[in-house]
């Protein structure tokens, strides 16, 4: 397993739970639905032996790559106290994640961002959302979902399970100052695998 890092793929407008999404490497007949990804992360989060097998590092996040349903990309991620992802999206992938141990907080934006061709965007009032995700709680999200995920505990690790389809083609990373969101970089799979 690789050494810990601070930028691990993690997780917008939710497609119909029963509609497969085409694209990526799988065909529409094998593409998982949002509901199937959510079922996968929930059932995987209940696998106590798997959760216990994740090495936890006090300094940085750790992860294990998993086989997701229908050719999806999946990860088991350990979050030391006080760590987070920073603002990001998963571009053309939709997905789901569930907290398997501890608690996570998600801040998200209820806005559809332009897909390309911009560097700075001024957000309007009322687009911020925040949710606490205790053990066993999770959420699904659609393409271009902008969020940050945090372990706000000062003492306890958190563990979560994530699944994405199609497998992540890129992650866009953002900085935020007040209402201004700035695109900082775009990562490709070779940057995190």
């Amino acid at each position: 397993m690789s050494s810990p890092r601070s930028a691990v793929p993690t997780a917008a407008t939710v497609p119909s739970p029963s509609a497969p999404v085409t694209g990526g490497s799988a065909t529409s007949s094998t593409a998982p639905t949002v509901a199937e990804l959510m079922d996968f992360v929930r059932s995987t989060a209940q696998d106590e032996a798997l959760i216990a097998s994740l090495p936890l590092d006090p300094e940085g996040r750790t992860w294990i790559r998993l086989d997701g349903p229908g050719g999806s990309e999946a990860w088991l991620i350990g979050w030391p106290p006080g760590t987070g992802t920073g603002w990001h999206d998963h571009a053309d992938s939709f997905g789901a994640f569930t907290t398997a141990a501890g608690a996570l907080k998600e801040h998200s934006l209820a806005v559809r961002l332009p897909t390309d061709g911009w560097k700075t965007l001024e957000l309007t009032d009322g687009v911020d959302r925040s949710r606490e995700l205790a053990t066993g709680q999770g959420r699904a999200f659609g393409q271009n979902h902008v969020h940050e995920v945090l372990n706000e505990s000062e003492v306890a690790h958190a563990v979560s399970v994530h699944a994405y389809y199609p497998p992540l083609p890129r992650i866009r990373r953002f900085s935020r100052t007040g209402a201004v969101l700035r695109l900082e970089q775009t990562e490709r799979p070779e940057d995190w695998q």
Side-chain angles (χ1 to χ4, degrees), residues 20-85:
V21 173
T22 58
S25 59
T27 65
S28 61
S29 63
T30 61
T33 65
V34 173
E36 289 169 334
L37 292 183
M38 195 72 215
D39 288 346
F40 171 80
V41 297
R42 283 183 178 146
S43 64
T44 303
Q46 295 174 0
D47 183 338
E48 293 177 12
L50 177 64
I51 304 309
S53 74
L54 179 66
L56 299 177
D57 184 308
E59 300 299 320
R61 287 186 288 161
T62 55
W63 60 92
I64 297 173
R65 180 125 188 213
L66 306 172
D67 291 327
S72 63
E73 181 172 341
W75 299 87
L76 176 65
I77 301 174
W79 305 74
T83 57
T85 61

Side-chain angles (χ1 to χ4, degrees), residues 46-155:
Q46 295 174 0
D47 183 338
E48 293 177 12
L50 177 64
I51 304 309
S53 74
L54 179 66
L56 299 177
D57 184 308
E59 300 299 320
R61 287 186 288 161
T62 55
W63 60 92
I64 297 173
R65 180 125 188 213
L66 306 172
D67 291 327
S72 63
E73 181 172 341
W75 299 87
L76 176 65
I77 301 174
W79 305 74
T83 57
T85 61
W87 288 97
H88 68 283
D89 75 2
H90 302 105
D92 301 323
S93 298
F94 65 92
F97 71 99
T98 294
T99 304
L104 294 172
K105 185 165 200 168
E106 181 197 38
H107 298 289
S108 63
L109 299 176
V111 63
R112 185 104 170 157
L113 298 180
T115 56
D116 289 305
W118 66 279
K119 282 289 204 182
T120 304
L121 186 68
E122 188 163 341
L123 302 169
T124 59
D125 290 339
V127 298
D128 287 292
R129 303 290 184 266
S130 185
R131 70 181 73 208
E132 299 280 340
L133 299 165
T135 299
Q137 295 180 321
R139 69 159 309 180
F141 52 88
Q143 297 170 325
N144 303 303
H145 175 66
V146 178
H147 70 165
E148 68 174 345
V149 181
L150 310 161
N151 177 3
E152 294 185 324
S153 172
E154 295 180 12
V155 296

